[in-house]
Amino acid sequence: MPGRNGFEVAREISQVSPESKIMFCSDYEDLVFRAFSLNVFFFIRKSHLEEDLESGFRKFLGSSEIGALLLEEGNESMRVPYSHIICIVVYGNQIVVRCRDHSEYLVRKTLKSMESELPSTLFAFASSSVIVNISEVERIIGSTVVMKDGSHIEASRRKLRILKDRYAGYRMECML
Amino acid sequence: MIVNCIESAEIAGFYTILARKNRLLVFLIAFAATFAFTEYFNTYSVTAEYLSAVNYLIGFAVLSIGGAGNVLEKIGYSLIPELVVAAVNSFLTVGVSILIYGQVDYVSLLNHQYVLMIILTKVFQISLLYFSAFKIVRKDLEMTAFDQILIIIAILLCKTAIDSLESLLYLDHYDSLHLGIAILSVVGFIVTLLIAVNDISEKTKMIMHADADKEVMRYQIDMMKGNIASQQELARMRHDVQHLLNLAREGRTDSLESEAENLQTEMDQKILIPVDTMSIPLNQVLNLERQKATARGIHMNCRLNITEALPLSEDEVYLLMINLLDNAIDHIGSEKEIAVSAFSDEEEFSVSVINSIDGKILDSSGKLPESKAQGHGYGMMTISRIVRDHHGYMKLSDEDNHLAIRILFSKKISS
């Protein structure tokens, strides 16, 4: 790439599409990057190209964010990608799946049975009436879960510890 | 009378061992006073009960004559004989009675097994008193004034409880006062125990901190040694370069070529690109540990993105990183690969160290088993302490022949 380096391209991709997974490939055995703030999904060493590429794709395919929730209502069924879901809340004797594009899906199920269909690395109970998508959590202050869209969800004391542990686990996966 | 004589002699002997001067006088006074008092109360009771406090005073007086320790020590020592005698008598009376009769029957025991009981109790009493005196004289027990006070209170409460229970046991009738005192003594003992547990916990924390300090010092010494070795290596390479320049100046191109080739080969093997982030302790630890790993044939791959100052003190970064990396080197598998990743921004700092292992390594509770080598085990303890102190999160896993320790400190999760 004449006149541009990989970091600049990665930064632009991140700006245009923050959800993109970026894999860096370098000649250096010891990658020492400083002063750049990029969410790099995987590093590939050129000397170990085959092996590292395989590991990178395995990590991508194993990532819980790429799955989808299958919703069935009567004869209709719909796949909602996990990455689109913000939270799932109890609504009377039904549940509502709230998505990032403000769409909502009413499902005749219990929250407990819905939870068993979701990956535990990505979803957790905030209280007995709300399941949150951990990747949509911006921060947890005390018992208040601040979502990336600015909304607040109050977590129950009983569920808070597991929620925090899963969020910490998710942050580690994202950062490392 | 003979029994009292033996008992007085064993107690006097205990005080004599503890005395640092006037030993004969200590023995004689202790023996005479204890014997006289025992003979006196035996005229109307089997046990001294709460009057055994008189024996404490005798003990304190003779220990003062014998110059045995400070006031608190003398109080503590003077309580021991009474406690030992009472505990042994009660224990053996109950134990032997149950063994022989299947129930506590003090009267039958006294009538039919008197000699056996005397022999047994005296042997146990003398052994325990001698053992206690031996431990005290050898100064095996080091304790603070607070510990001594706790022990004095605990002994007094135990003795009071035993005295109360003995009176119920030997007199064989219900007495609410003695029972009440026994219960209160036990409750008091529990409170004392809780205070002692708290005290032990505080002391353990202090020991752990001291161990952590020792680790820092050890690391600094290692680093100093590493620096000296690097300086020597640098001086030698300078000399080699100087030699090459001399060869070039003299026009000896044949020698120059082969010497330059040798030096290049050596440099290719030894020189690693130094880690250079904005965290100096992180750089130092990684550079040093990479050298250590390389010397053991381990390849260490670092992926670092440190854009903000780390939320830990320099000492903590040293301790955290050195223990993580030492742990990885110690548990390395046949693949000999270590991957270190560290990331920091204004809100989070995370670090992961992944090393190859052969099979599984974590125990059933997901913990890393402690190495049996001396000084090991503190590493993970130190890491856990730092993580806990900063309300961080730590995750261990041993999937696919790799041991991974991931740590996160995040301002995004606050309590």
Side-chain angles (χ1 to χ4, degrees):
Chain A
M1 287 178 295
R4 304 175 84 189
N5 64 33
F7 298 149
E8 288 166 3
V9 175
R11 193 171 289 115
E12 279 177 33
I13 293 172
S14 293
Q15 281 164 1
V16 175
S17 168
E19 288 167 33
S20 301
K21 305 290 182 200
I22 298 167
M23 292 198 202
F24 259 94
C25 188
S26 170
D27 261 336
Y28 291 104
E29 276 286 293
D30 303 280
L31 296 170
V32 183
F33 298 113
R34 52 194 271 219
F36 71 98
S37 185
L38 290 171
N39 188 8
V40 180
F41 183 74
F42 205 80
F43 290 92
I44 293 163
R45 297 163 292 173
K46 271 190 189 164
S47 55
H48 295 65
L49 189 64
E50 204 173 318
E51 179 190 339
D52 283 2
L53 203 58
E54 193 185 321
S55 303
F57 277 106
R58 204 181 304 127
K59 185 181 173 187
F60 176 72
L61 292 171
S63 166
S64 46
E65 290 172 67
I66 63 167
L69 180 66
L70 187 67
L71 299 176
E72 287 173 340
E73 195 64 46
N75 294 329
E76 286 184 29
S77 65
M78 176 183 283
R79 282 172 63 83
V80 182
Y82 294 143
S83 56
H84 287 198
I85 301 170
I86 294 178
C87 62
I88 303 165
V89 296
V90 172
Y91 184 74
N93 55 2
Q94 298 178 85
I95 53 173
V96 178
V97 179
R98 289 193 177 141
C99 296
R100 275 163 43 173
D101 59 1
H102 303 294
S103 57
E104 291 187 347
Y105 302 96
L106 203 61
V107 186
R108 203 174 294 276
K109 259 184 184 176
T110 63
L111 205 57
K112 188 84 187 156
S113 64
M114 178 59 89
E115 192 239 359
S116 62
E117 294 173 24
L118 299 165
S120 61
T121 48
L122 198 61
F123 290 89
F125 274 106
S127 67
S128 55
S129 58
V130 186
I131 291 174
V132 291
N133 182 343
I134 290 164
S135 69
E136 287 299 310
V137 173
E138 175 59 33
R139 61 184 66 242
I140 302 173
I141 306 163
S143 61
T144 306
V145 185
V146 181
M147 306 302 286
K148 283 180 179 166
D149 67 354
S151 62
H152 288 53
I153 292 167
E154 204 56 36
S156 70
R157 189 184 294 218
R158 229 154 51 88
K159 309 285 184 188
L160 190 61
R161 192 173 162 185
I162 295 173
L163 177 67
K164 281 184 173 178
D165 282 347
R166 288 194 187 167
Y167 181 56
Y170 174 77
R171 293 300 308 154
M172 286 183 211
E173 288 292 332
C174 285
M175 294 167 77
L176 300 169
Chain B
M1 184 187 265
I2 295 168
V3 174
N4 287 345
C5 189
I6 296 169
E7 200 166 291
S8 303
E10 66 190 42
I11 293 171
F14 172 78
Y15 292 136
T16 308
I17 295 172
L18 297 184
R20 289 175 195 159
K21 58 182 182 182
N22 304 325
R23 287 192 158 174
L24 184 61
L25 192 63
V26 166
F27 183 83
L28 290 174
I29 295 174
F31 177 77
T34 310
F35 181 71
F37 174 65
T38 314
E39 282 292 305
Y40 166 72
F41 76 69
N42 272 169
T43 54
Y44 62 87
S45 172
V46 181
T47 63
E49 283 195 36
Y50 309 128
L51 282 175
S52 57
V54 174
N55 277 334
Y56 304 154
L57 294 176
I58 295 170
F60 187 81
V62 294
L63 287 170
S64 299
I65 295 167
N70 60 32
V71 175
L72 277 177
E73 284 171 344
K74 280 185 284 195
I75 294 173
Y77 300 158
S78 65
L79 302 181
I80 292 172
E82 279 296 312
L83 180 74
V84 168
V85 169
V88 167
N89 287 350
S90 303
F91 173 74
L92 287 178
T93 303
V94 173
V96 175
S97 184
I98 288 174
L99 267 178
I100 296 174
Y101 306 113
Q103 61 178 352
V104 179
D105 188 348
Y106 171 66
V107 179
S108 301
L109 203 65
L110 198 67
N111 290 334
H112 303 112
Q113 308 294 339
Y114 183 72
V115 177
L116 172 74
M117 286 304 293
I118 293 298
I119 293 168
L120 273 178
T121 51
K122 296 309 153 203
V123 167
F124 271 88
Q125 285 170 5
I126 291 167
S127 307
L128 276 173
L129 283 171
Y130 179 75
F131 177 74
S132 309
F134 183 69
K135 291 292 265 183
I136 294 166
V137 169
R138 271 191 50 183
K139 293 199 179 297
D140 281 352
L141 309 168
E142 284 290 336
M143 55 186 81
T144 62
F146 182 70
D147 294 338
Q148 287 175 4
I149 292 168
L150 278 183
I151 288 172
I152 288 168
I153 294 169
I155 293 177
L156 279 171
L157 289 167
C158 274
K159 182 65 174 59
T160 310
I162 291 173
D163 284 341
S164 306
L165 293 172
E166 271 183 344
S167 67
L168 292 170
L169 185 73
Y170 298 140
L171 301 178
D172 199 22
H173 68 84
Y174 177 75
D175 179 347
S176 61
L177 177 69
H178 282 104
L179 195 61
I181 292 172
I183 291 168
L184 287 177
S185 300
V186 170
V187 171
F189 184 77
I190 292 168
V191 173
T192 314
L193 192 66
L194 289 175
I195 297 168
V197 166
N198 188 53
D199 187 45
I200 291 166
S201 166
E202 290 298 319
K203 286 198 173 89
T204 310
K205 278 182 200 166
M206 279 168 63
I207 292 167
M208 280 170 69
H209 280 279
D211 284 336
D213 290 343
K214 260 195 270 177
E215 284 282 300
V216 174
M217 205 179 284
R218 185 180 67 81
Y219 167 67
Q220 283 171 343
I221 292 167
D222 282 351
M223 203 163 66
M224 210 163 64
K225 283 181 187 167
N227 284 342
I228 292 167
S230 301
Q231 292 290 336
Q232 282 177 337
E233 189 69 18
L234 201 63
R236 198 182 60 75
M237 281 188 171
R238 271 187 184 155
H239 175 264
D240 289 352
V241 171
Q242 185 65 53
H243 178 59
L244 287 179
L245 289 173
N246 285 340
L247 289 175
R249 215 175 287 131
E250 289 164 13
R252 292 160 63 185
T253 47
D254 290 349
S255 307
L256 180 67
E257 205 171 302
S258 66
E259 295 275 347
E261 194 67 35
N262 288 343
L263 188 61
Q264 184 64 57
T265 311
E266 193 184 347
M267 284 170 74
D268 285 348
Q269 284 171 352
K270 286 188 176 166
I271 294 179
L272 295 164
I273 302 166
V275 170
D276 183 18
T277 69
M278 64 182 295
S279 168
I280 291 165
L282 185 70
N283 299 342
Q284 288 178 338
V285 175
L286 283 172
N287 286 326
L288 193 76
E289 291 287 322
R290 277 204 315 170
Q291 279 182 13
K292 198 194 278 184
T294 308
R296 295 186 191 191
I298 301 166
H299 179 250
M300 192 186 281
N301 183 26
C302 302
R303 295 155 180 177
L304 311 167
N305 188 6
I306 307 294
T307 60
E308 290 290 328
L310 305 184
L312 309 174
S313 70
E314 285 201 352
D315 284 355
E316 285 170 329
V317 175
Y318 280 125
L319 280 173
L320 184 75
M321 294 307 298
I322 207 158
N323 281 307
L324 281 171
L325 294 167
D326 276 348
N327 183 65
I329 292 170
D330 285 347
H331 292 102
I332 198 76
S334 47
E335 210 180 303
K336 297 205 168 188
E337 281 274 337
I338 297 176
V340 183
S341 306
F343 176 96
S344 83
D345 62 15
E346 62 274 16
E347 290 201 289
E348 291 178 309
F349 167 48
S350 61
V351 58
S352 84
V353 175
I354 302 171
N355 62 280
S356 59
I357 48 170
D358 297 325
K360 296 257 176 196
I361 196 168
L362 300 179
D363 62 22
S364 53
S365 59
K367 286 182 180 168
L368 201 58
E370 282 181 15
S371 168
K372 283 178 184 161
Q374 198 182 8
H376 284 261
Y378 288 117
M380 282 310 290
M381 210 192 290
T382 308
I383 294 167
S384 303
R385 185 173 58 78
I386 294 169
V387 171
R388 195 178 56 237
D389 286 353
H390 291 271
H391 307 291
Y393 292 83
M394 179 162 69
K395 207 166 124 183
L396 275 77
S397 66
D398 60 352
E399 299 296 318
D400 300 330
N401 287 332
H402 282 91
L403 171 68
I405 303 181
R406 295 183 172 89
I407 291 170
L408 172 77
F409 300 98
S410 178
K411 287 181 189 164
K412 290 185 174 216
I413 312 170
S414 62
S415 49

